[in-house]
Amino acid sequence: MGEIRRHSIETNIKRFLVDNVVTILFFIICLIGIILADQPMAYIVGEISSRLFRNLIIILALLIPVWAGMGMNFSIVVGAMAAQIGIIVSINFSITGIIGLVAAFIVSVPLSLFFGNLVGRLFNKTKGQEMITGMILGFFAKGLYDLVFMFLCGPVIPVKNPSLLLTNGIGLITPITLDDATNAAINNIWKMPLDKGLTMILIIAVAVKLLSVLWRKYKRGEELSWKKQYGLFALIVLFAAYMILISVSETVKFALSFTQMPVGTGILIVIVCIYTTFLSKTKLGSDINAVGQNMNIAVSMGIPADKIRITAIMISTLLAGLGQLVFIQDIGNFTTYTAHENVGTFAIAALLVGGASIQKASISHAVIGALLFHTMFVVSPLAGRNLFDNAQGEYFRVFACYAVIAVALALHAWKTVMAKQEENSEEAEIKAAEH
């Protein structure tokens, strides 16, 4: 009995390590980077926090196409372009502040849905090659975008606000800077120290998880074992560890209390997470998952696979537009012709680091990936400078960021091979036992 239990524990540990090899590797890389960077904790926490709130919605925009079986959606750059067009329109008509951002979002919504519909139709023509198609499509869309705003604005498209035009009256200036009222307008709605914000988030997360368990147990009558509520126990342990950490470490407590958390942006992120979770439980969400698991079976069940795929891309593009809007208002400006170029690359790298794959992705993958990737993004130039004694640490950041995608995809491929070998081994054992 003890031998069986020990074998079971070893199998579970091995499976955990294989399933999370990408996340574990980059967690170790981040720890090494923090040590080599040798920067104050307050600086690192502040930078990671601002980047997390700034980029998370764009990463969440990638989830639904993965569910639909289309892999990583490199074409979210067209959603980012729609958001930038919305901001340009808002500035052109001198609409400022939070109203200006709302106006920009309203302009971006029909554009995002239209672009997403076209992208989805193209993906239906290139089934199985969506990732490379999305990448090439991003380059093509950039060419059209540059044509419109570099050559047509002024001579063909009238521009009401002269501050947007170049001195020769042809094309838009770069970068475009938001005014004081619009800059960080969402962030400035409500701020609080990060330590208090994290405490509230963890308490709410534990309460929601507990209520969810009780609802399933007493309202739906499901047979639930408290011993198997691993998610609830993990949240309780995390909350306890966090409280102990800020109690015993003055450095961590100071770093967290020194950093301000943009609650307004956080609420937007929570709304996107709730919408994504709700969508997964609807008929549309079930159809999206069915199409992603096996399109032929989904079609035989009467599910309009092509229409579902187009819908998934439209939702993804719309969320990418919202994410780019949040990103730009946080930065306060954007380079007119290149701000959207790396949106897809960096978001996909972050999601892969969080443990997602081209077949499976969740909100937890997005959050963990955003934390790890942007930790590496912050510390890698400083670590590279200290490690190689060279001031050009930015090159090390570029190398690290693009290497993430290659390493993550290679490790995911290795995991797939390992899983296939394990499946074949189990089948062989079953056949041997039958004989």
Side-chain angles (χ1 to χ4, degrees):
M1 187 69 179
E3 183 67 26
I4 295 175
R5 182 176 297 177
R6 185 166 59 254
H7 177 72
S8 176
I9 293 173
E10 290 175 355
T11 302
N12 290 336
I13 292 174
K14 179 181 177 181
R15 184 169 299 170
F16 173 82
L17 292 175
V18 171
D19 289 344
N20 298 279
V21 61
V22 177
T23 305
I24 293 170
L25 173 62
F26 285 101
F27 178 76
I28 294 171
I29 291 174
C30 287
L31 285 180
I32 295 172
I34 290 172
I35 294 171
L36 291 174
D38 192 25
Q39 294 296 308
M41 182 65 69
Y43 167 77
I44 293 176
V45 170
E47 286 293 311
I48 294 171
S49 173
S50 64
R51 290 176 179 274
L52 175 67
F53 285 96
R54 182 190 305 160
N55 291 277
L56 191 51
I57 293 179
I58 297 178
I59 301 172
L60 291 169
L62 296 167
L63 299 184
I64 297 174
V66 174
W67 299 351
M70 291 185 280
M72 297 297 171
N73 182 18
F74 280 92
S75 69
I76 59 171
V77 294
V78 299
M81 292 178 191
Q84 291 167 198
I85 293 171
I87 292 176
I88 291 169
V89 171
S90 178
I91 294 175
N92 185 49
F93 290 98
S94 301
I95 308 174
T96 61
I98 193 70
I99 303 299
L101 292 176
V102 172
F105 179 65
I106 292 172
V107 171
S108 73
V109 167
L111 291 174
S112 296
L113 295 177
F114 175 68
F115 294 159
N117 186 280
L118 295 179
V119 172
R121 291 177 184 275
L122 177 62
F123 282 179
N124 283 338
K125 302 292 185 182
T126 59
K127 291 173 182 173
Q129 305 294 329
E130 291 91 350
M131 289 175 64
I132 187 63
T133 301
M135 186 180 294
I136 300 303
L137 178 63
F139 296 139
F140 174 73
K142 173 178 166 50
L144 293 179
Y145 177 93
D146 289 348
L147 173 66
V148 170
F149 292 103
M150 194 176 291
F151 298 105
L152 300 185
C153 280
V156 179
I157 301 173
V159 177
K160 182 179 178 181
N161 189 340
S163 65
L164 283 174
L165 286 174
L166 293 169
T167 54
N168 62 1
I170 302 175
L172 300 185
I173 63 169
T174 184
I176 293 176
T177 303
L178 307 184
D179 59 30
D180 294 337
T182 311
N183 183 18
I186 300 175
N187 292 354
N188 292 333
I189 292 175
W190 181 17
K191 288 186 176 183
M192 69 167 57
L194 186 57
D195 58 339
K196 295 181 180 178
L198 288 176
T199 302
M200 288 179 57
I201 290 170
L202 289 172
I203 291 174
I204 292 172
V206 171
V208 169
K209 190 66 177 179
L210 179 60
L211 289 174
S212 174
V213 172
L214 294 175
W215 174 266
R216 295 200 308 271
K217 185 174 179 64
Y218 295 109
K219 293 295 183 180
R220 295 186 178 180
E222 296 182 10
E223 291 294 331
L224 296 174
S225 172
W226 287 101
K227 294 181 180 180
K228 295 183 179 180
Q229 299 306 316
Y230 305 118
L232 178 60
F233 293 143
L235 284 173
I236 293 173
V237 170
L238 181 62
F239 177 66
Y242 168 73
M243 296 304 294
I244 292 171
L245 180 63
I246 62 175
S247 299
V248 301
S249 176
E250 288 296 328
T251 303
V252 173
K253 183 174 177 59
F254 171 77
L256 293 176
S257 60
F258 181 78
T259 303
Q260 293 293 308
M261 185 180 81
V263 181
T265 305
I267 291 173
L268 268 181
I269 293 171
V270 170
I271 291 172
V272 172
C273 290
I274 292 174
Y275 169 75
T276 305
T277 304
F278 173 76
L279 178 65
S280 68
K281 300 181 184 301
T282 62
K283 183 182 184 304
L284 176 59
S286 299
D287 290 347
I288 289 173
N289 281 305
V291 171
Q293 290 173 9
N294 193 308
M295 193 183 307
N296 294 327
I297 293 177
V299 171
S300 68
M301 294 170 59
I303 297 173
D306 287 353
K307 184 178 178 181
I308 292 296
R309 284 161 58 92
I310 292 173
T311 303
I313 291 295
M314 289 173 68
I315 296 172
S316 176
T317 307
L318 178 61
L319 292 179
L322 176 62
Q324 184 72 350
L325 194 67
V326 170
F327 181 93
I328 290 172
Q329 65 85 35
D330 183 81
I331 294 290
N333 63 74
F334 67 98
T335 49
T336 312
Y337 305 106
T338 60
H340 48 270
E341 284 185 346
N342 292 320
V343 166
T345 304
F346 289 163
I348 288 168
L351 191 60
L352 290 172
V353 167
S357 67
I358 59 175
Q359 294 93 19
K360 182 180 178 181
S362 66
I363 293 174
S364 60
H365 290 143
V367 175
I368 294 171
L371 283 170
L372 292 178
F373 179 77
H374 288 288
T375 298
M376 187 174 65
F377 206 81
V378 169
V379 302
S380 57
L382 303 169
R385 182 187 64 192
N386 294 337
L387 185 63
F388 300 111
D389 194 24
N390 191 315
Q392 301 299 322
E394 183 66 27
Y395 294 109
F396 188 71
R397 169 188 280 172
V398 173
F399 162 76
C401 291
Y402 283 98
V404 163
I405 297 180
V407 173
L409 288 175
L411 288 174
H412 282 302
W414 173 76
K415 283 168 55 180
T416 303
V417 171
M418 291 287 291
K420 187 66 176 178
Q421 290 178 351
E422 185 176 345
E423 182 181 342
N424 293 337
S425 176
E426 290 177 355
E427 290 179 356
E429 291 177 0
I430 292 172
K431 289 181 180 179
E434 289 176 351
H435 291 295

